[in-house]
Amino acid sequence: MTSFLFRRRPRRTVPPLSARVAHTVLGGAAGIVWLVLPGMTITAGVPVPPGGAAADTVTSAAPAAPAGAAAQEDGTSAADLVLPLVVVGAAGALAGYAYVRRTRRARTRTTPGGSRAAPTTPPLSELDERSLTLLTEADDWIRTSREELGFAEAARSGAEAVAPFTRAVRDAESELSAAFRIRERYDDGVPVDEASRRHALTGVVGRCQEAGRRLDAEAAGLDRLRAPELESGKALAVAETRFRDLAGRTAVTEATLAELAGPYPPSAAAPVTGYVEQAKDRLVFATTRLNQARQAADLADPERAARHLRAAEGAVAQAAVLLTAVDRLADELGAAKALVPAALTGMEAALAGVRGRRSASAGLSSAEWHARIRRADTVLAAVRDEVAGGAYDPLDALRRIVRAAEPLGWGRDGVVSAAGLLVARSTTALADDFVAAHRGAVGAAARLRLARARRLLAADEHVAADGLAREARDLAEQDVRVHGNPLSGTAEHPSGVAGAALGGILLPGDVDGGTPPSFGGPGTRTRRAPEPRPGTD
């Protein structure tokens, strides 16, 4: 339960001002009629006696009233009754009308006690969609902020200068992590009732907004910190140095990827297939933007120089992610291949030690226990056949060994635990790399599973973490396929722009203007957008 969430207390219903004014005027008119009406019914020619004996004398002395006068008196008496009845009836009709209007309004309100609902309260379906959108956006804010912070730290030659901004990113990460957990419980059906589910979605939205506010609060400070490096050209020099290093790495990484085709089947390198080409595409885009930044700096246009530099930094950072993923996977495949024989031996020894038991523990029947042992034997035999055959995927082999051990209650220590950690760590990192390099197309479902996989990995739940990370990668790839080429059907663009848009280096719908997301949340990440040209909308 977050502190910023609260329920509104129902307010007492107050009639509209127009209804209160109408009631007041009507009551006043009725009172005036009641005061004036008796005077209107008194005959002008006959004085009213003061009462007592004199009244009796006057009454006796008065001549008999003629028949016409009597009739007139009867008519006046009837008027005395009709006019008040008309007034009372009109007042009742108006009061009834006002009551019906208030009743109808109360029935259309959703808050307790008939109080007026907040005009901004959205339907549950709209709040659900908004929470997913904000989860995606908040994840992008943090990833972009972390990227720019890395370049700022390199230009400043130390972490101390950027410590306040590092704390802001960590605070935002904490808020986003809490939002992911709330949304995961929501997707699991917790809570159940609609009011609580609305409250949970509101918590997701609030957490994401707080993450954005935390980053927005520090964006101006980071601009001030980077201003001297931008003006002196040091920031541009840092980006150009990283660009040259990556350009030199590209050929080496490409050779590494080609070498994987020898000892391993194509499936082993499938997670990074095409990454070298994508890295080259990002570097082509970075080349263009670095040149534009240099030209703008020479023309004393610091705003345009900063905008082009930020776009180049984003492309350089993603190229590094893609190339590093290939190199890391090659190392992990080598480590897994070295670990497979030990994992096989350890599992076979463990199976030999328990094969004669009737059951592993209370609650597990002997038949189920032996069925699990037979399944483990089958998996180990298949893995041994693949190893003997030569080319095989060692990470996948370890994955199957670890999954065969889990139903038997093993895998928490020893070689099987090490194998599970290696597999889960590799799968989670590959999923995270894919999201980072394609975040312009990846939605909330993949990011939710990735966030959960990270938490399970930290909790040593290796099998569960590996499964969720694989799901996250599959969903992310599906999002990219559905998204397609972001510039398809549009005018021709410079090389690398489509990849930059897919990677979220340029904001959607603004690839022509080239607005790069920067450190910050929703209020500041587009602060480097180009000014509109004179005479344009």
Side-chain angles (χ1 to χ4, degrees):
M1 187 73 65
T2 55
S3 61
F4 55 83
L5 300 177
F6 62 90
R7 297 181 181 273
R8 288 184 179 272
R9 292 185 298 174
R11 295 181 298 177
R12 185 176 178 182
T13 305
V14 180
L17 180 61
S18 58
R20 285 180 282 167
V21 172
H23 293 169
T24 303
V25 172
L26 184 60
I32 292 173
V33 170
W34 278 103
L35 289 173
V36 175
L37 192 61
M40 295 172 59
T41 59
I42 298 174
T43 305
V46 182
V48 179
D56 294 339
T57 305
V58 173
T59 304
S60 301
Q72 184 176 2
E73 184 178 355
D74 292 340
T76 303
S77 300
D80 291 346
L81 295 176
V82 170
L83 287 176
L85 289 176
V86 169
V87 172
V88 171
L94 289 174
Y97 173 72
Y99 173 77
V100 170
R101 287 191 62 186
R102 287 198 305 271
T103 303
R104 288 179 178 176
R105 288 182 180 178
R107 288 176 180 173
T108 60
R109 293 165 185 161
T110 58
T111 52
S115 61
R116 184 179 298 277
T120 58
T121 302
L124 188 63
S125 59
E126 182 180 329
L127 190 59
D128 178 44
E129 186 65 27
R130 175 162 171 74
S131 71
L132 293 174
T133 300
L134 277 174
L135 284 171
T136 301
E137 292 179 350
D139 192 38
D140 285 346
W141 302 335
I142 292 171
R143 290 177 182 272
T144 302
S145 298
R146 197 187 299 124
E147 283 178 0
E148 183 173 1
L149 195 57
F151 284 92
E153 180 178 345
R156 278 282 175 169
S157 302
E160 184 177 353
V162 297
F165 314 106
T166 303
R167 285 193 297 271
V169 172
R170 289 175 181 170
D171 291 345
E173 289 173 341
S174 177
E175 294 291 343
L176 180 60
S177 179
F180 275 133
R181 289 196 298 271
I182 297 171
R183 179 69 206 202
E184 287 162 10
R185 290 195 295 269
Y186 179 90
D187 290 338
D188 291 338
V190 180
V192 178
D193 61 287
E194 182 175 342
S196 298
R197 288 177 73 77
R198 177 182 294 277
H199 193 73
L201 291 178
T202 303
V204 173
V205 171
R207 291 282 190 175
C208 292
Q209 290 174 336
E210 181 59 28
R213 283 192 292 269
R214 186 70 182 90
L215 295 172
D216 282 335
E218 300 293 340
L222 184 65
D223 286 346
R224 289 191 295 270
L225 180 73
R226 301 200 70 189
E229 283 73 21
L230 291 171
E231 293 175 0
S232 65
K234 186 176 181 180
L236 182 57
V238 168
E240 290 173 337
T241 299
R242 290 193 178 185
F243 169 84
R244 286 190 294 269
D245 291 342
L246 290 171
R249 277 182 57 189
T250 302
V252 178
T253 302
E254 190 169 22
T256 300
L257 183 60
E259 291 172 359
L260 296 179
Y264 308 115
S267 60
V272 295
T273 298
Y275 273 22
V276 175
E277 287 73 20
Q278 292 182 47
K280 291 179 180 178
D281 184 71
R282 300 297 194 276
L283 292 177
V284 168
F285 176 82
T287 300
T288 303
R289 289 311 177 99
L290 287 172
N291 290 336
Q292 292 173 335
R294 177 67 67 184
Q295 293 168 3
D298 292 341
L299 295 173
D301 188 349
E303 292 184 2
R304 192 160 63 94
R307 183 170 69 252
H308 291 310
L309 175 61
R310 177 76 277 276
E313 289 173 345
V316 168
Q318 287 194 13
V321 167
L322 293 165
L323 295 177
T324 300
V326 176
D327 295 334
R328 187 185 61 245
L329 179 60
D331 293 340
E332 290 167 345
L333 287 170
K337 189 173 184 178
L339 193 58
V340 167
L344 283 171
T345 302
M347 274 289 293
E348 288 171 345
L351 286 173
V354 302
R355 193 169 274 112
R357 296 183 190 175
R358 294 185 58 84
S359 64
S361 61
L364 188 63
S365 68
S366 177
E368 177 61 25
W369 173 249
H370 285 93
R372 294 183 181 186
I373 291 177
R374 287 192 296 272
R375 285 195 292 269
D377 281 332
T378 302
V379 170
L380 295 181
V383 171
R384 280 214 175 272
D385 290 342
E386 290 180 4
V387 172
Y392 71 100
D393 183 349
L395 283 170
D396 185 63
L398 288 179
R399 177 179 293 111
R400 285 181 287 160
I401 292 172
V402 171
R403 290 186 176 182
E406 187 185 39
L408 299 171
W410 305 336
R412 292 293 180 179
D413 52 18
V415 66
V416 177
S417 175
L421 176 61
L422 175 60
V423 170
R425 185 180 291 164
S426 174
T427 310
T428 304
L430 286 169
D432 189 76
D433 292 338
F434 188 89
V435 173
H438 304 84
R439 61 177 177 260
V442 177
R447 299 174 196 245
L448 278 162
R449 283 162 178 78
L450 178 57
R452 196 167 192 172
R454 290 198 202 99
R455 287 202 308 277
L456 291 172
L457 179 61
D460 291 332
E461 297 289 342
H462 301 151
V463 173
D466 173 62
L468 280 169
R470 286 163 65 86
E471 287 183 26
R473 173 65 183 260
D474 291 342
L475 289 170
E477 290 180 347
Q478 179 180 339
D479 288 340
V480 172
R481 287 193 297 270
V482 171
H483 189 267
N485 184 350
L487 304 182
S488 178
T490 63
E492 184 177 353
H493 291 272
S495 180
V497 173
L502 184 65
I505 299 169
L506 299 178
L507 293 178
D510 194 25
V511 294
D512 291 321
T515 302
S518 305
F519 182 104
T524 58
R525 68 192 308 251
T526 61
R527 62 188 180 277
R528 296 191 177 110
E531 295 293 334
R533 297 176 182 176
T536 61
D537 295 331

